[in-house]
């Protein structure tokens, strides 16, 4: 009916336009005919944007970190307010997401001082400012503002980010690695995630393009690959060896994918790992670099947890450092390194600051990367400034150095203690084994669930780890993410729990966890 | 040499198809010249603060306090910050899940979304649901998200005005869809031509394209025209008839320089029209902190509001938003402040009003200076900038100039703009970056240079233009008829 009426309306419009030949907009000619057409219509067509007609890649994409269990937790949280006493806990503890400041971690004072001054530069000229801000924060703000044309922090910057800030970040990278870095290789983005999306967009032409991803992985990768219509090629980390990365496994998966006609374009390596927390050994990293060079793979190095290392015997080495120390340069390996202001000891998730350092690509490809970045004009300036601060912290002798170091070490040592306390707690539970969190912000314990529990899960159409996580939430208010959200060896079950609740809350969390687990195992023991 | 994994040949074709002239050839050349020491006047991007417009004081005070909450406890804080800024900082901090440094709800802080909904209700007279308002890192990200949701493959077409802001063409390319152009009528003040729109749709259909959505930019970019209520009604009827979702880019709603057609939102008209249209037509409206009299481009604050979308679709959009975790929190606070500014009686009210008025009145004057300036130049015709931030004069290039351009391997308007840049330092964007009718050339410039610099800029332009026309014309006295 609507289509018929549309045809009729069109004829009327065309007819009247041709007869009048007026160059003015024919909207006035349309009025009466359109009105007639409109009144003759019923809504027989389904609206343009419904579940059936949206991009199927959107439907396919999943992201468990803010998925179903979190929605349920939010409902419970509402109920705690409207019906106090309705649940056996009085607060929801969000251990599902690496969001430190939402769990009372304090920001680094020096960083916030500089950011506040950059947000409101007109107070820099006032004498009262010295009463409120440290001298080196004021100096750093001046220095940063001088890098910004017109000191205009409200202006769009260069699409890769402010040049002077990229210089500072490049200097920070060089100081960290002992190998030079180039400001032109750096793309500042609204967090590391948009940079990951950009690379996936560039790399994926169709579902025949595959990206090697660790299993378990942070589900940004699986989601991004789905959104861009590619194929995820899994390589399994070895739980038995502390989530070790075996090159033989990667090679096997690569060959398997190729035999199925998949062009494997890149490999994602998350170091330190998420959710697994392992820090790669140098030898391991060299194997990976060699492998990428030989197989013609882009190495996508997610290094956002580079400042979260909790074990004495491991340290962070960037893949760029490893590659360069092997004598490999721009001609030898295509490497993208991702860093963020959201993690480390700074935990500034809400700022959306981050960058990718892109090396080993030809000029015409870099032009394309720049072009895609330019469509969004630029990332938020405050986040850019913060990224430069993270890569260039106060030095010995600076006024803020002592307090900065105290804050930094305080947070990192507390994270290390919490990682250990929770690891021990999980290992003390019947049927639970938990690898050490060498780095990052998570524990990923394995649940050896009794058959009865697995069956009970089946009955309610849930994966066993989702079933467990839901029960845990309902009993204790603790929110974790089922392992199926990250991928795991089929038939094994895990969940990811952050180490982020404040230290004084940890004992209570552990005791509630234990109590719940005991009663769960009691209920379902074989 | 072995092919490298990311050689140009093996890139995603959709990426290669993207063109975004706003930061393209002219911008690069201007940057090169700047490095060589030439003074460049960047009138290529709607970037007010880069051309000397000062930020409004109140939002900067509030956000600075939110950045450094320890200031709030300092006894000296009142020496530098007014009491209402201090109170507002506390208000926003209490809405967050742990200050500026925590990821918020993936849709944005609920309290800010409520402020946006209240703003929309005050503006339009119809209630708005905060649950259907999603905050984004700038409006552009919201546009990308919506187009990515709608476009399934190259058979999905999106109606886009020509000339258009090339975010739309770029995003459609990236998403693998098809752009279905509808030409605005330059001689009718960049007005809508429904005959042409219908023809475009028919042409698309004949190519097997399903037209899914229609983009309107109101006020227009680069064209500046403000749609009338009658225009919007026609558009909504059209979308109803053709079963299209209307994507209403309203980021320039505060930038209006004439009084005949004040801004009216697509949503208001939608509801004014009553059922069935008000219940059936799907609408997504976009807004930002980057434009208006705020001009806070660098903060990346924006939102989109969905009307008449099924809840399952909204869920899917939420799901994709959650993959990026959350929009930046300071940008969200800027947005909250924009839609909920100080009120009469507040300490900072008068200053804010004064700062805002100064910017808007100056923009209006500059819109006139620029339009009149262009119209006084040989072979240049320019519609008045009714709204937004740009001037889009038509440059009637003589045949010899067009030939010279071809010889130089450049599009005629690119050739002209490069010459303009090299002669005067004025960096513009050639009209081909926005789309134009075949053989008709334009450039886009902004009305943003400081008012006191405008006369000199226009004089400089006229001198260049008139010499250029002198050089390339076969005869004098080109008729303007």
């Amino acid at each position: 009916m609507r289509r018929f009426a549309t045809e009729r309306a069109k004829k009327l419009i065309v007819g009247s336009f041709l007869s009048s030949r007026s160059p003015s907009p024919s909207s006035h000619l349309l009025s009466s005919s359109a009105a007639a057409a409109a009144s003759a219509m019923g809504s027989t067509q389904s609206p343009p944007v419904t579940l059936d007609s949206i991009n199927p890649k959107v439907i396919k994409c999943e992201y468990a970190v803010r998925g179903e269990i979190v929605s349920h937790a939010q409902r419970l949280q509402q109920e705690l307010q409207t019906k106090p006493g309705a649940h056996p806990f009085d607060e929801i503890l969000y251990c599902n997401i690496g969001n430190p400041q939402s769990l009372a971690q304090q920001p680094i004072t020096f960083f916030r001082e500089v950011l506040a001054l950059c947000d409101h530069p007109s107070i820099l000229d006032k004498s009262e400012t010295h009463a409120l801000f440290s001298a080196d924060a004021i100096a750093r703000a001046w220095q940063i503002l001088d890098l910004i044309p017109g000191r205009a922090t409200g202006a769009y910057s260069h699409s890769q980010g402010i040049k002077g800030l990229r210089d500072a970040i490049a200097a920070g990278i060089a100081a960290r690695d002992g190998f030079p870095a180039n400001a032109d290789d750096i793309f500042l983005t609204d967090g590391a995630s948009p940079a990951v999306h950009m690379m996936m967009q560039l790399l994926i032409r169709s579902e025949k393009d595959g990206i090697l991803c660790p299993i378990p992985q942070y589900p940004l990768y699986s989601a991004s690959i789905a959104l861009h219509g590619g194929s995820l090629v899994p390589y399994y980390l070895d739980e038995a060896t502390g989530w070790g990365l075996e090159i033989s496994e990667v090679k096997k998966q690569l060959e398997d994918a190729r035999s199925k006609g998949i062009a494997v374009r890149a490999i994602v390596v998350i170091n330190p790992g998420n959710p697994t927390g392992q820090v790669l050994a140098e030898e391991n990293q060299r194997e990976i670099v060699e492998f990428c060079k030989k197989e013609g793979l882009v190495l996508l190095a997610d290094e956002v947890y580079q400042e979260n290392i909790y074990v004495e015997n491991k340290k962070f080495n960037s893949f760029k450092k490893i590659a360069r120390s092997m004598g490999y340069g721009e001609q030898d390996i295509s490497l993208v390194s991702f860093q963020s202001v959201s993690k480390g000891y700074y935990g500034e998730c809400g700022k959306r600051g981050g960058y990718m350092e892109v090396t080993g690509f030809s000029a015409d490809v870099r032009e394309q990367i720049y072009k895609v970045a330019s469509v969004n004009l630029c990332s938020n300036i405050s986040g850019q400034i913060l990224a430069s601060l993270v890569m260039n912290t106060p030095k010995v002798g600076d006024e803020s150095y002592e307090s900065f170091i105290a804050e930094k070490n305080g947070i990192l040592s507390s994270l290390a203690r919490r990682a250990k306390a929770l690891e021990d707690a999980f290992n003390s539970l019947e049927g639970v084994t938990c690898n050490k969190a060498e780095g990052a912000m998570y524990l990923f314990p394995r649940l050896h669930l009794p058959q009865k529990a697995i069956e009970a899960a089946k009955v309610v159409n849930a994966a066993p780890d989702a079933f467990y996580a839901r029960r845990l939430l309902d009993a204790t208010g603790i929110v974790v993410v089922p392992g199926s959200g990250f991928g795991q060896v089929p038939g094994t079950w895990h969940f990811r729990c952050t180490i982020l609740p404040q230290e004084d809350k940890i004992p209570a969390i552990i005791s509630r966890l234990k109590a719940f687990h005991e009663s769960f195992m009691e209920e379902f023991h074989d | 040499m072995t092919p490298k994994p990311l050689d140009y040949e093996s890139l995603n074709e959709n990426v290669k198809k993207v063109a975004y002239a706003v930061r393209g050839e002219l911008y690069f050349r201007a940057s090169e010249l700047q490095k060589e020491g030439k003074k460049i006047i960047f009138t290529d991007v709607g970037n007010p603060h880069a051309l000397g417009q000062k930020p409004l004081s109140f939002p900067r005070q509030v956000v600075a306090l939110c950045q450094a909450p320890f200031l709030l406890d300092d006894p000296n804080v009142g020496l530098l910050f007014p009491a209402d800024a201090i109170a507002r900082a506390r208000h926003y901090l209490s809405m967050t899940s742990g200050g500026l440094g925590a990821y918020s709800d993936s849709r944005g802080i609920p309290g800010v979304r409520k402020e946006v909904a209240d703003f929309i209700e005050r503006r339009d007279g119809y209630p708005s649901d905060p649950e259907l308002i999603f905050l984004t890192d700038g409006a552009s990200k919201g546009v990308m998200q919506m187009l990515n949701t709608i476009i399934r493959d190259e058979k999905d077409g999106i109606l886009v005005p020509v000339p258009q802001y090339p975010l739309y063409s770029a995003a459609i390319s990236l998403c693998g869809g098809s752009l279905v152009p509808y030409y605005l009528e330059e001689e009718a003040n960049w007005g809508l031509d429904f005959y042409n729109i219908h023809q475009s749709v028919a042409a698309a259909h004949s190519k097997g394209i399903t037209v899914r959505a229609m983009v309107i930019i109101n006020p227009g970019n680069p064209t500046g025209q403000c749609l009338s209520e009658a225009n919007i009604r026609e558009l909504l009827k059209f979308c109803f008839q053709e079963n299209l979702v209307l994507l209403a880019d309203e980021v320039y709603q505060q930038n209006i320089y004439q009084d005949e057609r004040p801004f009216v939102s697509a949503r208001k008209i939608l509801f004014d029209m009553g059922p069935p249209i008000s219940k059936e037509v799907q609408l997504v409206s976009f807004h930002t902190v980057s434009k208006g009299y705020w001009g806070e481009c660098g903060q990346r604050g924006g939102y989109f509001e969905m009307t008449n979308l099924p809840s399952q679709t909204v869920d899917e959009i939420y799901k994709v938003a959650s993959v990026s975790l959350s929009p930046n929190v300071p940008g969200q606070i800027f947005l909250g402040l924009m839609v909920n500014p100080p009120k009469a009686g507040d300490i900072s009210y008068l200053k804010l009003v004064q700062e805002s008025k100064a910017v808007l009145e100056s923009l209006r004057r500059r819109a006139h200076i620029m339009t009149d300036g262009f119209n006084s130049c040989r072979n240049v015709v320019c519609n008045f900038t009714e709204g937004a931030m740009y001037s889009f004069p038509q440059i009637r290039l003589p045949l010899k100039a067009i030939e010279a351009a071809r010889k130089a391997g450049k599009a005629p308007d690119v050739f002209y703009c490069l010459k303009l840049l090299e002669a005067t330092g004025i960096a513009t964007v050639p009209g081909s970056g926005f789309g134009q009718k075949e053989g008709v050339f334009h450039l886009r410039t902004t009305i943003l240079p400081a008012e006191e610099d405008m006369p000199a800029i226009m004089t400089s332009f006229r001198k260049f233009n008139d010499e250029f026309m002198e050089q390339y014309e076969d005869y004098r006295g080109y008729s303007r008829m």
Side-chain angles (χ1 to χ4, degrees):
Chain A
M1 179 66 164
R2 185 185 284 175
R3 202 170 291 133
F4 169 77
T6 312
E7 287 305 310
R8 198 155 55 88
K10 263 194 224 165
K11 290 207 179 76
L12 287 169
I13 299 157
V14 173
S16 31
F17 180 85
L18 288 174
S19 63
S20 77
R21 292 201 190 277
S22 155
S24 57
S26 40
S27 50
H28 66 283
L29 298 170
L30 181 55
S31 310
S32 53
S33 44
S39 61
M41 279 174 226
S43 58
T44 50
Q45 284 186 60
S46 59
V49 183
T50 64
L51 206 60
D52 304 320
S53 65
I54 62 174
N55 182 356
K57 293 178 229 159
V58 165
I59 311 269
K60 198 166 164 223
C61 147
E62 293 194 345
Y63 185 71
V65 175
R66 276 206 160 163
E68 208 191 302
I69 191 143
V70 180
S71 315
H72 182 61
Q74 284 163 345
R75 280 191 295 271
L76 292 179
Q77 190 166 35
Q78 296 254 43
E79 280 172 28
L80 283 176
Q81 304 219 317
T82 57
K83 296 183 232 161
H87 296 286
F89 48 83
D90 39 37
E91 65 173 331
I92 300 288
L93 275 162
Y94 288 98
C95 298
N96 59 308
I97 181 172
N99 195 11
Q101 293 189 30
S102 73
L103 291 164
Q105 180 174 306
Q106 294 303 301
I108 298 295
T109 306
F110 178 75
F111 294 165
R112 291 303 190 91
E113 286 186 283
V114 176
L115 288 172
L117 290 165
C118 290
D119 271 336
H120 191 34
S122 55
I123 61 174
L124 280 169
D125 292 321
K126 305 219 160 110
S127 53
E128 296 93 328
T129 304
H130 292 272
L132 284 172
F133 294 86
S134 59
D136 55 348
I138 293 172
R140 186 73 82 101
W142 276 121
Q143 184 204 38
I144 288 169
L145 289 166
D146 281 342
L147 299 169
I148 302 174
R151 302 212 179 114
T153 54
Y156 292 127
S157 71
H158 184 284
S159 295
Q160 282 178 241
I162 292 157
K163 175 67 166 50
L165 295 178
R166 285 185 280 128
D167 286 331
I169 290 169
I173 292 171
R176 180 194 69 194
D177 294 347
F179 291 96
N182 199 322
D184 291 337
D185 292 341
I186 293 167
F187 289 75
L188 283 156
T189 48
D190 289 304
S193 300
V196 170
H197 284 301
M198 249 198 265
M199 289 314 302
M200 294 302 177
Q201 182 150 63
L202 220 69
L203 286 165
I204 296 172
R205 296 162 295 187
S206 72
E207 72 277 0
K208 287 215 171 56
D209 283 327
I211 312 284
L212 276 159
C213 290
I215 300 295
Q217 46 100 44
Y218 172 50
L220 163 67
Y221 294 97
S222 44
S224 189
I225 292 166
L227 276 171
H228 293 102
S231 293
L232 191 154
V233 179
Y235 66 90
Y236 290 86
L237 301 174
D238 188 0
E239 188 159 13
T241 59
W243 297 114
L245 193 163
E246 298 299 322
I247 279 292
S248 52
E249 159 68 6
V250 181
K251 192 167 151 66
K252 170 165 151 284
Q253 297 293 353
L254 171 67
E255 282 165 1
D256 198 57
R258 282 179 175 161
S259 71
K260 295 194 192 118
I262 305 258
V264 182
R265 312 267 277 148
I267 176 169
V268 173
V269 181
I270 311 174
N271 182 43
N274 176 5
T276 47
Q278 86 285 19
V279 177
L280 294 173
E282 276 192 52
E283 181 49 44
N284 220 180
Q285 288 182 275
R286 284 194 284 270
E287 281 182 305
I288 294 164
V289 168
E290 206 61 76
F291 183 76
C292 289
K293 181 174 188 294
K294 176 159 172 280
E295 300 291 345
L297 301 174
V298 176
L299 177 50
L300 299 172
D302 177 336
E303 298 177 331
V304 304
Y305 294 101
Q306 55 188 264
E307 305 240 37
N308 299 101
I309 312 271
Y310 311 126
V311 292
E312 295 289 313
N313 63 331
K314 291 272 183 76
K315 72 185 249 287
F316 172 73
N317 292 298
S318 77
F319 269 101
K320 178 141 166 283
K321 175 183 174 185
I322 297 291
R324 294 292 180 269
S325 64
M326 291 165 79
Y328 292 145
E330 290 274 338
Q331 298 305 313
D332 302 298
I333 179 162
S334 302
L335 167 63
V336 185
S337 317
F338 302 96
Q339 165 62 320
S340 169
V341 305
S342 300
K343 311 301 176 188
Y345 54 90
Y346 21 91
E348 296 275 23
C349 304
K351 299 300 182 62
R352 313 317 272 122
Y355 69 79
M356 60 178 179
E357 184 192 12
V358 176
T359 55
F361 293 93
S362 61
D364 49 6
V365 172
R366 295 170 59 89
E367 239 179 76
Q368 296 298 314
I369 301 177
Y370 171 82
K371 187 178 70 175
V372 172
S374 75
V375 178
N376 195 49
L377 282 153
C378 72
S379 65
N380 84 82
I381 307 301
S382 185
Q384 293 187 30
I385 293 172
L386 184 51
S388 79
L389 290 169
V390 159
M391 298 305 286
N392 282 283
T393 56
K395 310 265 177 300
V396 177
D398 292 351
E399 181 185 322
S400 300
Y401 178 74
E402 295 297 333
S403 55
F404 165 77
I405 276 295
E407 286 175 355
K408 171 181 174 180
N409 289 341
I411 289 168
L412 286 175
S413 57
S414 173
L415 283 168
R417 287 190 299 270
R418 285 179 268 167
K420 188 77 179 58
L422 285 167
E423 176 205 332
D424 289 345
F426 286 130
N427 276 313
S428 75
L429 301 175
E430 181 200 342
V432 179
T433 51
C434 188
N435 280 335
K436 180 180 244 1
E438 296 184 332
M441 289 178 173
Y442 315 97
L443 286 163
F444 199 63
R446 178 158 170 203
L447 298 164
H448 303 262
L449 292 169
Q451 195 52 34
K452 266 177 77 177
I454 296 178
E455 272 150 29
K458 221 176 262 168
V459 165
V460 294
N461 234 345
D465 47 15
F467 178 73
Y468 180 93
R470 174 68 180 253
R471 284 293 205 98
L472 171 65
L473 170 58
D474 287 340
T476 64
I478 299 169
V479 191
V480 300
V481 187
S484 30
F486 304 86
Q488 52 205 345
V489 170
T492 66
W493 314 108
H494 302 78
F495 62 85
R496 188 188 80 167
C497 180
T498 70
I499 59 171
L500 298 174
Q502 282 304 295
E503 219 169 331
D504 55 8
K505 286 210 151 89
I506 298 285
I509 291 174
I510 291 176
S511 63
R512 271 198 267 157
L513 200 64
K514 283 191 164 148
F516 159 76
H517 187 81
E518 271 156 33
S519 80
F520 183 92
M521 294 305 265
E522 177 86 32
E523 188 184 339
F524 292 106
H525 70 75
D526 294 315
Chain B
M1 195 170 100
T2 42
K4 295 181 85 179
L6 248 188
D7 279 347
Y8 184 78
E9 297 68 46
S10 57
L11 289 183
N12 182 354
E13 283 303 315
N14 290 342
V15 167
K16 288 191 253 184
K17 283 188 196 141
V18 169
Y20 185 70
V22 174
R23 284 248 157 123
E25 187 179 353
L26 259 297
Y27 174 74
F28 276 127
R29 186 68 187 124
S31 306
E32 262 170 24
L33 289 170
Q34 188 177 46
K35 275 193 202 126
E36 289 167 21
K38 190 176 174 72
K39 176 161 172 6
I40 303 294
I41 304 154
F42 284 97
T43 67
D44 53 339
V45 190
N47 198 10
H49 294 197
L51 289 155
Q53 181 176 313
K54 294 271 165 278
L56 300 173
S57 314
F58 185 74
R60 292 306 190 97
Q61 290 164 341
V62 173
V63 176
L65 288 166
C66 291
Q67 289 278 17
F70 44 81
L71 291 174
L72 293 168
D73 298 322
D74 192 305
N76 290 318
V77 66
L79 294 173
L80 279 177
F81 296 91
D84 56 350
I86 294 169
R88 194 69 89 92
R90 289 192 200 281
H91 160 83
Y92 283 115
L93 285 171
S94 72
M95 279 189 195
T96 63
S97 350
L100 299 191
Y103 293 127
S104 72
D105 184 307
S106 299
R107 298 162 291 188
I109 296 165
V112 175
R113 285 153 58 217
K114 174 83 175 49
E115 290 183 316
V116 174
D118 291 344
F119 155 76
I120 292 169
E121 180 165 356
R122 279 195 310 273
R123 181 194 67 192
D124 295 347
Y126 294 103
S128 172
D129 182 358
E131 297 298 287
L132 297 174
I133 294 167
F134 285 21
L135 309 187
T136 51
D137 285 312
S140 298
K141 288 241 167 97
V143 168
M144 286 274 188
Q145 235 204 303
M146 283 316 304
L147 288 172
N148 190 52
T149 304
I150 295 168
I151 295 171
R152 295 164 297 188
D153 55 36
E154 71 282 357
K155 290 214 172 48
D156 280 333
I158 311 288
L159 267 165
V160 174
V162 179
Q164 48 104 39
Y165 173 52
L167 163 67
Y168 294 95
S169 44
I172 292 166
S173 289
L174 279 171
C175 296
S178 292
L179 191 152
V180 179
Y182 67 91
Y183 287 84
L184 301 175
E185 267 312 308
E186 186 163 12
E187 273 94 54
N189 207 29
W190 297 115
L192 294 166
D193 174 357
F194 275 87
Y195 176 63
N196 175 265
I197 297 176
H198 277 282
Q199 280 199 310
S200 295
V201 173
H205 286 161
S206 70
K207 290 193 207 129
I209 291 175
T210 309
V211 185
R212 306 283 308 286
M214 180 175 197
V215 173
I216 60 169
I217 310 174
N218 180 38
N221 175 5
T223 47
Q225 87 286 13
C226 297
L227 294 174
S228 66
E229 283 202 30
N231 286 155
I232 299 175
R233 277 175 184 263
E234 302 307 340
L235 286 161
L236 286 164
K237 278 186 207 151
F238 178 76
C239 289
F240 179 61
Q241 287 159 17
E242 297 294 327
N243 197 29
L244 307 175
V245 54
L246 183 61
L247 303 175
D249 176 339
E250 298 176 331
V251 301
Y252 295 101
Q253 57 186 268
Q254 291 171 345
N255 300 101
I256 311 286
Y257 312 127
Q258 41 71 38
D259 304 314
E260 293 76 37
R261 274 176 306 287
F263 174 75
V264 63
S265 77
R267 193 167 185 271
K268 174 180 192 297
I269 304 298
L270 178 75
F271 288 125
D272 283 349
M273 291 172 85
I277 287 185
S278 61
K279 288 220 155 55
E280 304 281 330
V281 173
Q282 295 181 329
L283 168 67
V284 184
S285 315
F286 301 90
H287 197 13
T288 180
V289 302
S290 300
K291 310 300 176 190
Y293 47 87
W294 280 59
E296 292 279 12
C297 302
Q299 310 300 344
R300 315 315 273 125
Y303 74 78
F304 62 88
E305 183 197 19
M306 298 171 279
T307 305
N308 294 333
L309 264 65
S311 60
Q312 286 171 307
T313 305
V314 174
D315 288 343
E316 291 295 322
I317 295 169
Y318 181 10
K319 181 182 73 177
V320 174
S322 74
V323 179
S324 295
L325 287 154
S326 89
N328 88 78
V329 177
Q332 296 186 43
I333 294 175
F334 271 98
L335 193 65
L337 288 163
M338 186 181 82
V339 299
N340 185 18
K343 298 188 184 23
D346 292 351
I347 299 167
S348 302
Y349 174 72
L350 283 174
K351 184 165 190 206
L352 188 85
V353 167
Q354 176 200 33
E355 287 173 341
S356 312
K357 270 185 78 180
V359 171
L360 278 178
E361 285 169 2
S362 174
L363 282 168
R364 188 182 273 234
R365 288 191 295 270
R366 284 179 272 171
H368 282 283
I369 295 172
M370 212 162 219
T371 308
D372 295 343
F374 282 129
N375 278 317
S376 76
C377 297
R378 205 143 126 203
N379 297 343
V380 179
V381 175
C382 190
N383 282 336
F384 176 60
T385 297
E386 298 187 342
M389 289 177 172
Y390 311 97
S391 190
F392 199 64
Q394 186 188 138
I395 316 290
R396 294 184 171 164
L397 293 170
L399 272 165
K400 272 172 72 179
I402 295 175
E403 276 156 28
R406 297 252 154 83
K407 275 212 189 84
K410 303 269 178 221
D413 48 10
V414 174
F415 179 76
Y416 179 92
C417 291
L418 282 168
K419 290 234 176 267
L420 169 67
L421 171 64
E422 291 183 13
T424 65
I426 300 170
T428 57
V429 187
S432 37
F434 304 86
Q436 49 205 354
K437 288 190 175 158
E438 184 78 42
V440 184
F441 306 107
H442 305 81
L443 58 82
R444 189 188 80 166
T445 180
T446 67
I447 59 170
L448 298 173
E451 206 173 330
E452 61 262 24
D453 295 338
M454 275 285 198
I457 292 174
M458 294 317 292
T459 303
S460 177
F461 176 86
R462 189 182 311 111
K463 179 169 185 287
F464 159 79
N465 176 75
D466 293 357
E467 281 169 9
F468 181 96
M469 295 305 169
E470 180 92 35
Q471 183 188 351
Y472 288 102
E473 268 183 326
D474 288 320
Y475 57 88
R476 288 174 184 276
Y478 181 91
S479 168
R480 291 172 68 82
M481 276 171 47

